[in-house]
Amino acid sequence: MLNVHLVAHTHDDVGWLKTVDQYFYGIHNDIQHASVQYILDSVICSLLAEPTRRFVYVEMAFFSRWWHQQTNATQDVVRNLVRQGRLEFANGGWVMNDEAATHYGAIIDQMTLGLRFLEDTFGSAGRPRVAWHIDPFGHSREQASLFAQMGFDGFFFGRLDYQDKMMRKKKLEMEQVWRASASLKPPAADLFTGVLPNMYNPPANLCWDVLCADRPIVEDPRSPEYNAKELVDYFLQLATAQGQIYRTKHTVMTMGSDFQYENANMWFKNLDKLIQLVNAEQANGSRVNVLYSTPACYLWELNKANLTWSVKQDDFFPYADGPHMFWTGYFSSRPALKRYERLSYNFLQVCNQLEALAGPAANVGPYGCGDSAPLNEAMAVLQHHDAVTGTSKQHVADDYARQLAAGWGPCEVLLSNALARLSGSKEEFTFCRNLNISLCPLSQTAKSFQVTIYNPLGRKVNWMVRLPVSKHIYLVKDPSGTVVPNDVVTMPSADGQELLFSASVPALGFSIYSVTQVPGRSPRAPVPHPGFQKPSSRDLTIQNEHIWARFDPDTGLLVEMKNLDQGLLLPIRQAFYWYNASTGNNLSSQVSGAYIFRPSRQKPLLISHWAQTRLVKTDLVQEVHQNFSAWCSQVVRLYPGQRHLELEWTVGPIPVGDGWGKEVISRFDTALVTKGLFFTDSNGREILERRRNYRPTWKLNQTEPVAGNYYPVNTRIYITDQNVQLTVLTDRSQGGSSLRDGSIELMVHRRLLRDDARGVGEPLLEPKLGLWVRGRHLVLLDKAQTAAVRHRLEAEKALLAPQVVLAPGGGTRYHLKVAPRKQFSGLRRELPPNVHLLTLAYWGPNMLLLRLEHQFAVREDRSGNLSSPVTLDLRDLFSAFTITNLKETTLAANQLQASASRLQWTLNTGPTLKPSPCRLDPASITLQPMEIRTFLASVQWEEDG
């Protein structure tokens, strides 16, 4: 007997063609008919009408909002449906996150938020067993690893490459086990993974929603519209055919789609009839049984089938839904929003940490009510697969940015309360959100001010502070009152100055520096460096104690880089190019758009063959300012002690008056022999090998030699000849590739004139704030065996940069009896370099959430021992509080590790060892390579003073 599992579901985008609120309330139905509040109302009524019906819901951003608007009586009814398994939650994150442009830390945060809501509301009855990513555009290996570590039994998704899908149907590999980590011991990151048969839509002719036009079932043979027999025969044929591409006696059909079930009765009434009519055919010898089911029930049956499953070890990028249709444009779309999201992740971690370190004083204090929740929720919304991807309509992208901005405010209040409590001084704190464009009213006008620098890392950092100031000489003092060197440099635009000084900031703590104008003196007239000029024969080099870089005096382009510590010299040319966006051709009408990258030709065009340059050299910085065109410039920078070259690029507004959409790349060309290989990170964590024009699991027919070789680069991309490694770190997600040996390219901006026909109905023009984009690439040159140590630690520093808070100074004491302090560390000892403090956040009264992560992979550090297991003593690690009790949980903190169990699967690679439970000892917490351990800690905060 073939069992057909009907999964009634709705797919509710947390913003896409309408904003989150417009979707929830059903506003602007002229743009798209969709209203989540009515969907949930209607589904609950229909479930109550007939006890066999079941339904699946996914997005907690919507469900939690609806829940809080219900009466107690309705909430009780819903709790009952959940307990009976008739309303089942799948996935359970705040959103169904994207998998290409998202950072693993933000994915974990948004899943934790949604799963915590379910745990608090429904207990274990509401806990999702199945991950459900039916719409994201390609699937990352790290995502599967995180899902496994969260305790999910399996994972179902809708979209995969059209060639991959054809091959899987033939080989009966639509379902297999994904081994999602090369470091974690199986089965820790093993996850049963299934491809749904029809993306996530109902089969043709069987959609019974208000939004569909299919004919309802008419079972009265006297009616001229009678169609029951025809539909039943069609269904049996469909089920049998579908059963042949899956291995068990069970198959699944997704009965629902985008924003369906607003009138749930229409769907359920027809599904009731379908089930009854099809099952009645068993009396006539039919071998098909249909039932209302859920993803978890279907998975349970697959597990009981006791088959041996094949294993997948790579990922599902890039995704194409047809020849010439590669969804690799969204890796780079809306770069300003992508950066704002990454910056907000940094700020949220600072906010969470200070809330944990200062205790309740952070939430209620002299500056009002501080709250991390609004930013946490806004960040969760941004992980949605139409948000950080850049694939929404423009007014929706604006609303995503609005939500982030609104979340920053309550966190700024929280920071003020926490810094006053921890420093012992109530200052008029001010947050300069526009430092990236050199705007900060306080530092530009005050005669003296103080600078508090908070470091969210578990190790001390030296950080070059850059603040816009007026034309003066300044005196800068460190927390102990010692004068530290500073420089005032003129900005590239030549109409402003920036003050530079190097600050040393302790682990998980702050240092307070004071800045004072020296009266009556203005800076010495700078050596008359002319403004921008065409390069001449003069020597164009910059260097510090670790790195040397040379620029061609004729073109102004970077041509050579040296690692002085390791004696490596690499000829390297960096320049900006643009691809002309396709508007369709005789091979395919597909154009380049928000989702799709399709250049009209393989060779990109140089923006300029040469750059006007200006050289800046002071004791604290050496820079080459390159101006390529009116809309493209770059500063190549070296600070003392820095072991990488910093390239700060500014691109935009991209001109499109010539009628050509443009996709701009920064490209690095070297003579390294790389044999078609390059390496990219997976969501900022493990590294995957990529090979040009190749897929590890099927023979690729490459139709787009550029777009078909683009991969998501979340934090880094590198090439190596096994001796030398060139790594480029990014400050946001970008698409990247190596299209010829020795070359790396990253897409920094794109502006397009046509819609790519994937539903947005709008070209990616970004008329306002997203036009002009600034960002950084950090370039590392290393020996291959030591490269991982550099790029791992640099990427961690770039992601969690120090937070700078200014104040005029002269504040009042927080406690009358306690002297203020200018320096503070939340740790009694630094964390070892291979340990990353992933999460330190408030969880509840006297409870904190703590995540510690081993940030190196197995065998990654080939020269030292950073890839070895590492053991920590947590008992007295933190200075601001004492841990009185420690409980270990799964990754999303919604179940205790000791009682968590997952379904076991038999693999064709042989048996996996069952992990042995170990006793939790706070004095000895061991992390294996790439392991994340999650704890709920009961704490007692230290008394003031």
Side-chain angles (χ1 to χ4, degrees), residues 559-720:
V559 287
E560 225 169 16
M561 183 173 170
K562 235 186 235 177
N563 176 327
L564 300 169
D565 301 328
Q566 299 179 345
L568 300 176
L569 173 68
L570 184 70
I572 176 173
R573 181 178 186 273
Q574 185 271 334
F576 291 92
Y577 300 78
W578 61 279
Y579 288 105
N580 185 4
S582 176
T583 53
N585 61 11
N586 58 344
L587 291 171
S588 164
S589 61
Q590 182 62 58
V591 309
S592 225
Y595 300 88
I596 308 286
F597 172 34
R598 189 181 183 214
S600 65
R601 39 183 273 192
Q602 284 185 45
K603 241 180 106 109
L605 302 151
L606 255 176
I607 285 179
S608 171
H609 290 275
W610 61 280
Q612 294 177 308
T613 58
R614 190 168 128 239
L615 189 62
V616 173
K617 285 193 178 183
T618 75
D619 292 344
L620 291 185
V621 69
Q622 297 198 3
E623 295 174 340
V624 172
H625 295 242
Q626 301 170 309
N627 200 11
F628 296 95
S629 76
W631 55 276
C632 180
S633 63
Q634 181 168 260
V635 179
V636 183
R637 184 179 288 131
L638 270 178
Y639 293 123
Q642 183 176 289
R643 294 169 187 270
H644 58 265
L645 203 55
E646 177 183 310
L647 278 58
E648 187 177 52
W649 44 268
T650 304
V651 173
I654 298 175
V656 288
D658 52 14
W660 291 350
K662 297 177 181 62
E663 324 209 30
V664 181
I665 60 165
S666 172
R667 196 174 84 194
F668 301 82
D669 292 309
T670 72
L672 290 176
V673 179
T674 52
K675 300 183 176 166
L677 298 180
F678 57 106
F679 299 81
T680 63
D681 67 280
S682 182
N683 302 105
R685 233 170 151 246
E686 295 195 31
I687 308 290
L688 289 170
E689 178 185 280
R690 309 297 190 183
R691 189 185 300 178
R692 211 157 41 247
N693 298 324
Y694 173 82
R695 303 290 184 264
T697 59
W698 87 90
K699 195 170 181 336
L700 173 69
N701 170 27
Q702 182 63 280
T703 57
E704 287 287 324
V706 177
N709 282 308
Y710 257 61
Y711 289 88
V713 177
N714 224 274
T715 56
R716 74 209 78 187
I717 179 170
Y718 66 78
I719 51 173
T720 176

Side-chain angles (χ1 to χ4, degrees), residues 73-135:
T74 303
Q75 289 186 348
D76 287 342
V77 163
V78 174
R79 280 198 184 92
N80 222 8
L81 289 171
V82 172
R83 265 196 301 276
Q84 294 166 6
R86 289 159 60 196
L87 174 61
E88 179 175 294
F89 298 105
N91 215 63
W94 202 245
V95 299
M96 183 185 294
N97 64 257
D98 173 55
E99 302 188 35
T102 42
H103 187 270
Y104 74 95
I107 294 173
I108 294 169
D109 284 352
Q110 82 84 13
M111 287 300 299
T112 302
L113 183 63
L115 292 171
R116 180 168 195 194
F117 164 78
L118 284 175
E119 199 66 23
D120 289 351
T121 311
F122 302 105
S124 58
R127 190 182 298 153
R129 306 293 319 180
V130 173
W132 182 255
H133 267 205
I134 55 180
D135 195 25

Side-chain angles (χ1 to χ4, degrees), residues 98-99 102 156 207 226 256 392 396 402 483 486 554 568 630 705 726 744 903 914:
D98 173 55
E99 302 188 35
T102 42
F156 293 105
C207 182
Y226 173 72
S392 70
V396 180
R402 177 199 63 78
V483 174
N486 75 79
D554 296 321
L568 300 176
L726 180 73
I744 287 177
L903 295 178
K914 245 192 128 169

Side-chain angles (χ1 to χ4, degrees), residues 178-415:
W178 197 346
R179 178 149 294 165
S181 169
S183 287
L184 298 174
K185 285 194 176 69
D190 288 0
L191 188 65
F192 185 90
T193 302
V195 180
L196 296 168
N198 194 32
M199 212 156 79
Y200 58 89
N201 300 311
N205 309 321
L206 302 181
C207 182
W208 294 300
D209 194 77
V210 198
L211 301 172
C212 302
D214 294 346
R215 290 171 59 196
I217 297 175
V218 181
E219 72 276 45
D220 177 359
R222 295 167 305 179
S223 167
E225 300 296 338
Y226 173 72
N227 63 358
K229 185 175 184 333
E230 183 193 337
L231 276 177
V232 166
D233 291 346
Y234 167 69
F235 183 88
L236 289 170
Q237 205 181 329
L238 198 74
T240 309
Q242 191 178 297
Q244 285 167 357
I245 57 172
Y246 289 88
R247 293 180 58 208
T248 69
K249 294 276 181 280
H250 295 267
T251 191
V252 66
M253 288 184 187
T254 43
M255 304 311 266
S257 192
D258 291 10
F259 296 98
Q260 293 197 358
Y261 286 80
E262 195 175 308
N263 179 350
N265 181 53
M266 280 177 69
W267 255 117
F268 280 120
K269 195 167 192 170
N270 284 282
L271 289 174
D272 289 346
K273 290 179 183 179
L274 181 75
I275 290 169
Q276 190 247 316
L277 291 165
V278 171
N279 290 346
E281 289 298 306
Q282 291 168 20
N284 305 327
S286 160
R287 308 282 298 144
V288 173
N289 180 52
V290 198
L291 64 153
Y292 277 118
S293 187
T294 65
C297 292
Y298 174 60
L299 184 71
W300 181 249
E301 292 295 348
L302 296 182
N303 185 260
K304 280 201 310 203
N306 236 340
L307 299 178
T308 297
W309 301 93
S310 61
V311 176
K312 178 182 177 68
Q313 302 198 23
D314 58 320
D315 67 356
F316 290 95
F317 284 120
Y319 161 61
D321 54 359
H324 310 287
M325 300 172 180
F326 282 91
W327 296 48
T328 54
Y330 81 93
F331 300 164
S332 311
S333 295
R334 299 195 192 278
L337 185 65
K338 282 178 163 65
R339 174 62 188 154
Y340 192 20
E341 181 276 332
R342 193 67 57 88
L343 199 62
S344 299
Y345 175 79
N346 187 338
F347 191 59
L348 176 60
Q349 303 316 310
V350 168
C351 185
N352 284 340
Q353 290 179 8
L354 281 165
E355 187 172 21
L357 293 171
N363 302 110
V364 182
Y367 304 88
C369 292
D371 193 358
S372 56
L375 185 55
N376 195 21
E377 286 184 23
M379 272 298 294
V381 166
L382 261 287
Q383 307 315 308
H384 166 60
H385 57 268
D386 291 304
V388 70
T389 52
T391 56
S392 70
K393 279 191 182 290
Q394 182 63 49
H395 80 279
V396 180
D398 293 343
D399 188 67
Y400 288 137
R402 177 199 63 78
Q403 290 183 58
L404 286 176
W408 278 60
C411 262
E412 289 177 353
V413 175
L414 189 153
L415 257 67

Side-chain angles (χ1 to χ4, degrees), residues 886-927:
L886 201 64
K887 290 196 291 235
E888 186 162 10
T889 66
T890 51
L891 182 58
N894 66 332
Q895 46 184 323
L896 292 174
Q897 185 70 47
S899 55
S901 67
R902 297 169 64 216
L903 295 178
Q904 308 291 309
W905 304 88
T906 308
L907 310 184
N908 64 3
T909 52
T912 55
L913 296 168
K914 245 192 128 169
S916 49
C918 54
R919 198 177 63 82
L920 183 61
D921 177 7
S924 171
I925 299 289
T926 299
L927 294 165

